[in-house]
Amino acid sequence: GKFWQAGLESNMRVLIIDDDEQIRVLLEQMMHWAGFEVMVAENGKVAMQLQRERPADLVITDLIMPEQEGLETISRLKKDYGGIKIIAISGGGRIGPEAYLPAALELGADRVFSKPFDVQEIVDTVREMLRPGL
């Protein structure tokens, strides 16, 4: 069937969570171009609703957001969706991004990036993390 002709990535779904619209749009476009199906949410609450409706294979989440903290979102995702892959991005806050990234890893993030990040590097990381058989 047609399914098999599709690229391996085409059925992989990525969920992007960031309260910064510019970053959301940038990541969304890049993931689309890379061949993934993309969902976006501006906070953890919305993200959890989307995830329940159509579970993503990988989540890219900002850590500093209003509503539901990124760290809380990561621990929830890991608890409810064991196999999910998570990339955490931190733009810092008053105490700087470095303070949050170790906590994100501890809660279950697979990779962490601090802003400003290299978009291509994130796309490559997502591809690598979603490669079949990993």
Side-chain angles (χ1 to χ4, degrees):
K2 205 167 74 195
F3 176 73
W4 298 110
Q5 282 138 37
L8 284 171
E9 277 140 18
S10 62
N11 54 347
M12 288 292 191
R13 193 174 295 133
V14 175
L15 170 57
I16 295 162
I17 316 169
D18 200 313
D19 58 330
D20 180 332
E21 193 190 359
Q22 280 181 308
I23 290 183
R24 252 193 344 260
V25 169
L26 172 72
L27 287 171
E28 183 181 14
Q29 283 179 334
M30 291 301 290
M31 291 302 147
H32 265 305
W33 288 330
F36 297 105
E37 196 180 315
V38 189
M39 298 186 297
V40 292
E42 64 275 16
N43 61 52
K45 268 196 195 119
V46 176
M48 293 308 289
Q49 280 166 344
L50 287 174
Q51 182 64 13
R52 278 191 285 275
E53 287 160 28
R54 307 185 64 193
D57 300 285
L58 182 144
V59 175
I60 299 175
T61 182
D62 190 21
L63 291 178
I64 321 293
M65 293 179 289
E67 287 302 316
Q68 189 176 349
E69 260 287 356
L71 292 174
E72 186 189 333
T73 305
I74 290 173
S75 54
R76 281 209 187 163
L77 285 168
K78 274 295 180 187
K79 202 177 88 213
D80 299 347
Y81 306 88
I84 199 161
K85 303 273 201 296
I86 300 176
I87 293 177
I89 295 174
S90 178
R94 283 185 302 276
I95 55 175
E98 296 73 26
Y100 290 94
L101 296 175
L105 285 167
E106 207 155 291
L107 287 170
D110 299 282
R111 296 287 177 87
V112 291
F113 288 89
S114 47
K115 293 177 190 168
F117 51 80
D118 175 344
V119 182
Q120 189 54 53
E121 200 184 330
I122 289 193
V123 171
D124 292 342
T125 300
V126 170
R127 280 208 169 113
E128 189 186 307
M129 287 166 75
L130 290 179
R131 200 178 294 139
L134 284 186

